[in-house]
Amino acid sequence: MAKLFYVIIPGSISQSIGNLTALTQVYLSDSSIEGIIPESIGALKSLTYLDLSFNNHGGFIPQSIGNLTSLIILDLYNNQIRGLIPESIGALTSLTRLDLSLNYLHGLIPPSIGNLISLFDLYLKYNRFSGSIPAEIGNLTKLSDLTVSANRFTGSLPESLCQLNNLSALLVDDNQLGGSIPKCIGKLSNLEIMDLVSNSWDGIISEHHFVNLTNLFSFRISSRSNLMVNISSRWVPPFQLNDIYMDYIKVPKFPKWLITQRSLADITVRNTSISDTILAIPNSVRYLDLSNNHMFGNIPALLCNLTSLKTMLVSDNKFSGALPPYEDIIIDDPKGYELTYSSTLDFLYSIDLSNNNISGEIPKELTNLHGLLSLNIAGNRLSGRIPDTIGKLDKLEFLDLSRNELAGHIPQSLSNLSFLSHLNLSFNDFSGRIPTGNQLRTLDDPSIYVGNNQLCGPPILKPCPGDTDSHDFHNNNENEFYSDDEHVWFYAGIGPGLLVGFLGFCASFHFIPTWRYFYFHSVERFSDKIALSIALWWRRFQN
């Protein structure tokens, strides 16, 4: 009968745990435990389950861990454990799950890890491991999930990985791996997720890398080095992807095979130097990012009729022509797959067409996208006016129409966009008074309107015609009113003030005799002084 060991009070694991030799399961996840994992834990030779995840364990993995030969699960996820993986870990031949992720482990992965022949899941992500991925991992033929993301691994992927016929997830992203990707990886018919992002791959990826990947539904790759994709335009892949991510690699032509992916939801093919036109996109796509390429030609109307699309980013390309309407019915027949597009994008919430060469006017149909949160069509050659119906985009939070050739008045309906927090209309040819009111009162940065020399009114300093005279007239009238009013009250107050003061002066003499005596005595003395001064002055004058 299995015995469970629980710790309720936060603290550390005592060395005395080694006395509990009958213990089979230790579950201490998320128990606020600190301190080191004691060496005495190696005495628990009946232990099958050790979970110390989500704690604050420090120190090292004890060498005695190799004594736990009955151990099936070892989970040290999210602690502060440092140092190396001990070589003794290779003795845990019954282990099915090893999770050392989110710690501060470093150094090489010991070759003895290849002895863990029962292992299904190996998680080493978010540490500081270095060196190459050991070829001995190829011995783990039962391995289903290999995750070593966010470390410092170097070298190339070992060819021995191709022996892992049960592998369903290969995540080696965010390392310093390089070299060419082994073609034999295409033999891993159970592989579902392959993430090779943020490494330094070089060489060529071809259809041979995918030849038997019938279960693949997520493929992600990018490179800090020189990697090229060279796949035939006639290739039909054996898989159905849910998402594809390709960034900073060379893809000469638009991948035509994307149209065969009936469940594809997310497409990111950016910074790939594609010099081509958009051919076809599956109707299932919700997120489309084709930015920072060399794509040219008109934006095909089929993009505007993808009923599931929520985010479209095609900025920094070389598209030209006018923005297509959102209501055409299009039948496309690429490679025998007939697709019909007939619905507008009612649920699209982000469009980024910035920094292309798009001309023509902003289609009025654009304002029918009631779910739109972000619209960026800056840096094009759009002309004409902003549609007066732009106020219908009542959920819009981000609007950038800068660096175009738009003209005319800015529509007052912009003030109806109560959620608008970012607005940029700079460097166009707008004229007339800047609209005010509602949400526009909070967007008072003059740089929003810079480069439109014919605009006037707040928040810029340029007054509109007629504003200056009426403003001065109003101020003059106001000043004259207050000036005249002050004079009337001043003169009107002099008489009553003097009268009240005189009556108060007389009343004080009547009711306070000492004041009366002092006043008249002072007047008399002052009069005598004046008379004496006059007499002395007269005598000097006569002499």
Side-chain angles (χ1 to χ4, degrees), residues 219 255 333 389 392:
F219 177 62
D333 187 14
T389 53
K392 292 168 60 178

Side-chain angles (χ1 to χ4, degrees), residues 397 414-415 417-423 435-446 448-449 458-459:
E397 299 175 4
L414 269 180
S415 64
L417 304 180
S418 55
F419 294 102
L420 195 64
S421 58
H422 177 92
L423 176 64
T436 58
N438 299 331
Q439 186 68 8
L440 290 182
R441 290 181 299 178
T442 67
L443 301 171
D444 55 359
D445 185 352
I448 293 173
Y449 307 100

Side-chain angles (χ1 to χ4, degrees), residues 124-129 148-153 174-175:
L124 304 177
K125 63 182 177 181
Y126 292 102
N127 278 286
R128 299 174 180 175
F129 294 120
V148 297
S149 311
N151 279 286
R152 301 171 183 174
F153 288 114
D174 198 13
N175 277 286

Side-chain angles (χ1 to χ4, degrees), residues 378-451:
N380 283 286
R381 295 175 53 208
L382 293 167
S383 57
R385 297 172 176 265
I386 300 175
D388 290 332
T389 53
I390 196 163
K392 292 168 60 178
L393 300 176
D394 55 357
K395 295 182 176 63
L396 203 63
E397 299 175 4
F398 181 102
L399 177 61
D400 194 340
L401 307 179
S402 62
R403 294 176 290 115
N404 278 286
E405 299 169 11
L406 297 167
H409 291 273
I410 298 172
Q412 181 64 39
S413 64
L414 269 180
S415 64
N416 298 334
L417 304 180
S418 55
F419 294 102
L420 195 64
S421 58
H422 177 92
L423 176 64
N424 193 348
L425 304 178
S426 61
F427 298 101
N428 280 282
D429 294 316
F430 294 121
S431 59
R433 184 184 298 274
I434 297 172
T436 58
N438 299 331
Q439 186 68 8
L440 290 182
R441 290 181 299 178
T442 67
L443 301 171
D444 55 359
D445 185 352
S447 66
I448 293 173
Y449 307 100
V450 71

Side-chain angles (χ1 to χ4, degrees), residues 187-259:
K187 298 178 181 179
L188 302 178
S189 58
N190 288 304
L191 198 61
E192 298 176 358
I193 302 172
M194 180 160 53
D195 194 338
L196 310 176
V197 166
S198 296
N199 283 284
S200 297
W201 313 113
D202 55 33
I204 294 175
I205 291 181
S206 69
E207 53 262 40
H208 299 293
H209 288 86
F210 307 97
V211 63
N212 287 323
L213 302 187
T214 55
N215 291 296
L216 191 68
F217 71 83
S218 177
F219 177 62
R220 298 168 53 83
I221 189 168
S222 67
S223 177
R224 294 183 285 264
S225 189
N226 188 19
L227 180 67
M228 178 179 289
V229 175
N230 184 16
I231 292 178
S232 169
S233 60
R234 292 189 289 261
W235 181 60
V236 177
F239 48 71
Q240 286 293 322
L241 293 179
N242 175 75
D243 65 275
I244 182 170
Y245 180 97
M246 295 194 294
D247 191 11
Y248 285 106
I249 61 176
K250 292 184 179 179
V251 183
K253 295 295 182 181
F254 189 82
K256 296 180 180 179
W257 58 266
L258 289 178
I259 194 58

Side-chain angles (χ1 to χ4, degrees), residues 324-349:
Y326 287 77
E327 295 178 355
D328 290 349
I329 296 178
I330 300 166
I331 296 179
D332 194 25
D333 187 14
K335 299 186 60 180
Y337 294 90
E338 185 173 287
L339 303 175
T340 301
Y341 306 91
S342 60
S343 301
T344 56
L345 305 174
D346 291 335
F347 301 103
L348 186 67
Y349 62 76

Side-chain angles (χ1 to χ4, degrees), residues 147-174:
T147 300
V148 297
S149 311
N151 279 286
R152 301 171 183 174
F153 288 114
T154 55
S156 58
L157 286 178
E159 294 269 346
S160 61
L161 283 179
C162 302
Q163 301 169 197
L164 304 180
N165 294 323
N166 292 304
L167 198 65
S168 64
L170 174 62
L171 288 84
V172 298
D173 52 293
D174 198 13

